[in-house]
Amino acid sequence: MASDLFESPDYYQIDDLLSEEHKLVRNATRDWVKKEVSPIIEDYAQRAAFPDQLIKGLAEVGAFGPYIPEEYGGAGLDQISYGLMMQEIERGDSGVRSTCSVQSSLVMFPIYAYGSEEQKRKFLPKLASGEFLGSFGLTEPNFGSNPGGMITNYKDMGDHYVLNGAKMWISNAPFCDVAVVWAKNEEGRIHGLIVERGMEGFTTPETHNKWSLRASATGELVFDNVKVPKENLLPGRSGLGAPLSCLDSARYGIAWGALGAAMDCYDTALRYSKERLQFGKPIAGFQLQQKKLAEMITEITKAQLMVWRLGTLKNEGKATTAQISMAKRNSVEIALKIAREARQMLGGMGITGEYSIMRHMMNLESVVTYEGTHDIHLLITGADITGIQAFK
Amino acid sequence: MKVLVCISHVPDTTSKINFTADNSAFDKNGVQFVINPYDEFGLTRAIWLKEKKGASVTVLNVGGNETEPTLRKALAIGADNAIRVDAEPSDAFFVAKQIAAVAQEGGYDLIIAGRESIDYNGGQVPGMVAALLNWPFVNACVGMDGEGPEFNFTREIDGGKEKLSASLPLVIGGQKGLVEESDLRIPNMRGIMQARTKPLEVKAAVDAETKTSVGSFSKPAPKSAVKMIDAENVSELVQLLHDEAKVI
């Protein structure tokens, strides 16, 4: 694969909206991605192998729980820093970013927000250091966009719970050490349980033959009469709102992350089009190519402003679920369009693994589906502005 | 051991270089700045001295407040504290005088600077600092070992390497080899957070002359067109090399 020459677009001097610390966070993450991810990622994606050597580096750079307080092993950074990290990591690969999103927003966040002090002390430092890898079990084979219908359940056996059911499309599942699993109690109320590797009856079969997120491991979480100690129940919150709040945090990261993938595709297409000669001049000199590039940078710039504003709202504790939905949907949509246009600009070269574009494009097909599908996010916006739900 | 690492704030190597309208100064508009790469090797080596021998590491820059993000990055990488001498670094002598004053006042044992900065490439400052302090100077240093106060050094010289030893206090002009590129540290998020609270002291400059002044800058002439000659046509190639390029 060609060396990573990425330069980030900043058409509206959005850097002026960032603090020096934000820029340091972003540049450090970018340097790490260029050093550790870019040289190897194409090979792992082609072989559909998980680059588990990156776990240690992701932990060292601080990509697991950057906004979790330092006393629990995080870095205590703000939400814009978290977003910038996700942007840079997904600029490298959506699969690697997915691993970080799951670890930070779907495993560390619920334990931090809803866990007992004992749970926080037991799990968060090990998740931050990468000693433990986590997964998040919400989606089931028959309950994707409608998670409230889940059938995974647990029964109170006096001194422990017994968990039954199955979760599907779970990032990190095949090698997770802990899983935050959402299941219904006997009254049908959703609670979070921390399930640990090695508990009898807990298995994690891998999902094979994905054409997307090939450098990320996906699988199932299967619970066959798993005995879960009572102290592993997250005591702080119950109901569907609890897992959905985790998704808010993860979707926020995706809004930044998908933009990173878009920037990489744009940057690649821009550089290629200035070098590639046809009819005696660079293809960047032809109107149809300029149209593509001009539309790309316009959409990237709009999305940069959107996620920056969303990050500011999130820092102030004011970002709503619907606002996060809009940004997630927008970033992924523009990223997919940019990836497809950029791929065309590179012609046949865009098909090969010499360039990152087609890998991004295939990855984004997962990103547009997971953490709330493209259509569901539209309906969240629709419900928010009309006051009328149209989900069912 | 107290180590003082000199940090130049220089344009990123991918920057497009332009000058102000009268060609008297570098145009900083839209340019990203980084730690001078030669200094970064020295900084990493200093962090090793901190980790292995308990040295304290101070980073120093002579410049305006726009250089503070560069010093914060050095703090995030692991330096203990930073000093900025608040002055325009007008020439090498002026800067060397400032560094020597800080070194004397702070009681440092070891000064590590890059052999040169990649912006103006003067390569004068560390030698001048050593002269002003009357300390030994190891320039183009590509290796360092020993327990101190005496250290063994390896220097890169034309066509080979020179081994020498010197005792603290001394000045090193560092480059790749002092540590390798793969040893350079990327700041992590925890380091960035810690850098927030590490001390960054701003000092007034001491009196010093500026001994040189810049006339003007100019860019290299653009590359001329390439002449393609048929691979079989050696005589034309020889004639052009002789008559036009005048290299044979």
Side-chain angles (χ1 to χ4, degrees):
Chain A
M1 192 172 166
S3 62
D4 185 348
L5 303 169
F6 177 73
E7 288 177 47
S8 63
D10 185 13
Y11 200 74
Y12 262 38
Q13 293 165 32
I14 293 162
D15 267 15
D16 292 353
L17 299 173
L18 303 176
S19 69
E20 291 302 334
E21 189 174 283
H22 290 146
K23 286 184 250 184
L24 185 50
V25 164
R26 180 191 59 194
N27 295 348
T29 312
R30 181 174 303 164
D31 288 347
W32 183 82
V33 167
K34 284 191 176 189
K35 186 176 173 197
E36 303 291 341
V37 179
S38 305
I40 59 114
I41 196 64
E42 185 61 34
D43 175 50
Y44 279 81
Q46 293 278 357
R47 292 189 286 111
F50 182 77
D52 52 9
Q53 74 274 23
L54 293 183
I55 296 296
K56 191 165 164 274
L58 284 166
E60 272 170 14
V61 79
F64 295 153
Y67 56 83
I68 298 290
E70 284 181 275
E71 62 173 312
Y72 299 117
L77 291 165
D78 74 347
Q79 290 292 325
I80 290 182
S81 297
Y82 173 54
L84 288 164
M85 291 190 82
M86 296 302 104
Q87 171 190 298
E88 292 303 317
I89 294 171
E90 187 147 3
R91 207 279 302 169
D93 188 74
S94 305
V96 180
R97 199 270 306 138
S98 297
T99 296
C100 300
S101 287
V102 170
Q103 186 87 341
S104 298
S105 288
L106 301 182
V107 181
M108 295 178 74
F109 173 76
I111 294 174
Y112 171 66
Y114 311 129
S116 66
E117 191 57 32
E118 194 183 19
Q119 289 167 345
K120 290 185 216 181
R121 302 253 170 236
K122 180 177 176 187
F123 294 107
L124 291 177
K126 287 182 174 170
L127 288 159
S129 70
E131 184 184 339
F132 277 2
L133 209 68
S135 67
F136 175 87
L138 178 65
T139 297
E140 298 186 359
N142 294 315
F143 296 93
S145 295
N146 174 25
M150 70 172 65
I151 53 175
T152 297
N153 66 89
Y154 64 94
K155 287 191 169 57
D156 190 337
M157 308 302 282
D159 62 343
H160 65 274
Y161 301 117
V162 167
L163 177 67
N164 278 291
K167 301 291 182 179
M168 203 174 186
W169 308 118
I170 309 301
S171 293
N172 299 356
F175 44 73
C176 69
D177 301 286
V178 293
V180 171
V181 177
W182 301 92
K184 285 179 176 166
N185 66 11
E186 286 152 280
E187 289 78 49
R189 181 90 182 157
I190 294 170
H191 284 263
L193 296 152
I194 304 170
V195 180
E196 297 173 63
R197 173 76 64 188
M199 287 180 174
E200 202 177 328
F202 173 43
T203 52
T204 58
E206 185 164 359
T207 304
H208 293 289
N209 299 330
K210 293 178 298 169
W211 281 119
S212 179
L213 301 182
R214 287 168 65 82
S216 159
T218 310
E220 296 169 51
L221 303 173
V222 181
F223 315 104
D224 179 11
N225 287 313
V226 179
K227 273 190 189 178
V228 180
K230 285 201 153 176
E231 65 263 26
N232 280 27
L233 184 92
L234 295 176
R237 193 169 173 188
S238 66
L240 190 58
L244 294 186
S245 72
C246 305
L247 295 180
D248 273 355
S249 178
R251 288 166 180 171
Y252 168 76
I254 294 168
W256 284 86
L259 185 53
M263 287 176 177
D264 196 48
C265 293
Y266 165 76
D267 182 64
T268 304
L270 178 63
R271 187 173 306 109
Y272 184 89
S273 67
K274 290 198 279 192
E275 290 168 2
R276 170 73 172 166
L277 305 177
Q278 286 293 282
F279 304 102
K281 67 176 184 179
I283 62 169
F286 293 101
Q287 288 185 351
L288 286 175
Q289 307 309 319
Q290 288 195 0
K291 174 179 186 288
K292 292 188 183 84
L293 291 166
E295 287 172 350
M296 287 180 200
I297 191 61
T298 306
E299 290 306 321
I300 286 171
T301 303
K302 284 151 68 180
Q304 282 176 307
L305 287 163
M306 193 180 214
V307 296
W308 175 82
R309 178 61 191 151
L310 185 65
T312 306
L313 287 172
K314 210 156 186 308
N315 278 341
E316 294 166 356
K318 294 196 291 199
T320 66
T321 296
Q323 286 170 332
I324 294 168
S325 273
M326 182 185 277
K328 188 266 183 184
R329 191 184 62 83
N330 181 67
S331 288
V332 181
E333 180 177 37
I334 67 136
L336 259 174
K337 282 185 178 163
I338 288 170
R340 289 169 184 154
E341 295 280 288
R343 212 289 305 150
Q344 284 199 49
M345 290 182 68
L346 267 73
M349 290 309 291
I351 303 283
T352 72
E354 281 292 303
Y355 293 89
S356 56
I357 294 174
M358 193 127 173
R359 177 166 47 80
H360 283 308
M361 192 201 297
M362 296 198 299
N363 283 340
L364 288 163
E365 290 293 340
S366 289
V367 182
V368 77
T369 298
Y370 72 18
E371 303 266 0
T373 66
H374 186 70
D375 290 344
I376 286 289
H377 285 299
L378 264 183
L379 296 182
I380 290 173
T381 305
D384 194 49
I385 56 176
T386 63
I388 307 165
Q389 282 211 350
F391 298 103
K392 52 188 175 184
Chain B
M1 189 184 345
K2 288 186 75 175
V3 185
L4 183 66
V5 181
C6 304
I7 299 286
S8 280
H9 169 80
V10 300
D12 193 358
T13 48
T14 57
S15 304
K16 291 179 182 71
I17 303 299
N18 288 304
F19 301 108
T20 52
D22 60 355
N23 284 329
S24 66
F26 172 58
D27 183 359
K28 294 178 182 173
N29 198 17
V31 172
Q32 299 284 332
F33 284 81
V34 296
I35 298 176
N36 177 38
Y38 291 111
D39 299 346
E40 204 173 346
F41 292 113
L43 173 64
T44 308
R45 185 68 209 205
I47 303 291
W48 286 9
L49 290 170
K50 176 183 167 178
E51 289 169 352
K52 291 173 187 164
K53 301 190 193 299
S56 70
V57 178
T58 302
V59 287
L60 168 66
N61 171 265
V62 180
N65 63 4
E66 73 278 5
T67 72
E68 288 192 6
T70 298
L71 287 174
R72 285 271 172 227
K73 182 178 177 185
L75 293 172
I77 288 172
D80 298 300
N81 61 312
I83 298 170
R84 178 171 68 81
V85 175
D86 188 25
E88 179 65 26
S90 48
D91 78 347
F93 182 76
F94 177 86
V95 171
K97 282 282 267 194
Q98 306 306 323
I99 294 170
V102 169
Q104 265 175 333
E105 188 191 342
Y108 294 93
D109 309 295
L110 174 63
I111 299 175
I112 309 181
R115 61 179 283 183
E116 61 187 315
S117 60
I118 62 156
D119 46 6
Y120 298 99
N121 302 85
Q124 303 173 66
V125 170
M128 285 182 179
V129 170
L132 288 166
L133 294 169
N134 201 23
W135 290 3
F137 176 42
V138 183
N139 199 18
C141 182
V142 294
M144 173 180 180
D145 62 72
E147 293 302 310
E150 182 165 315
F151 288 93
N152 300 313
F153 297 99
T154 308
R155 288 186 62 230
E156 195 166 81
I157 55 174
D158 275 352
K161 284 182 177 160
E162 178 187 28
K163 300 225 178 237
L164 66 160
S165 60
S167 286
L168 299 176
L170 57 88
V171 180
I172 294 174
Q175 63 179 66
K176 186 179 158 198
L178 203 50
V179 301
E180 293 304 321
E181 264 167 39
S182 57
D183 299 320
L184 297 178
R185 305 236 175 137
I186 294 169
N188 63 30
M189 298 309 129
R190 193 165 263 237
I192 292 170
M193 279 297 286
Q194 286 167 351
R196 268 187 198 174
T197 51
K198 288 181 177 174
L200 194 164
E201 184 189 352
V202 180
K203 278 181 185 286
V206 296
D207 284 341
E209 289 171 74
T210 297
K211 298 206 173 210
T212 54
S213 63
V214 172
S216 67
F217 293 101
S218 59
K219 290 193 196 182
K223 270 188 202 165
S224 52
V226 175
K227 254 182 206 166
M228 300 298 289
I229 299 155
D230 194 286
E232 304 297 312
N233 198 347
V234 178
S235 59
E236 190 185 349
L237 175 67
V238 170
Q239 185 226 321
L240 286 170
L241 287 172
H242 185 263
D243 295 343
E244 279 194 20
K246 300 187 194 305
V247 291
I248 53 172

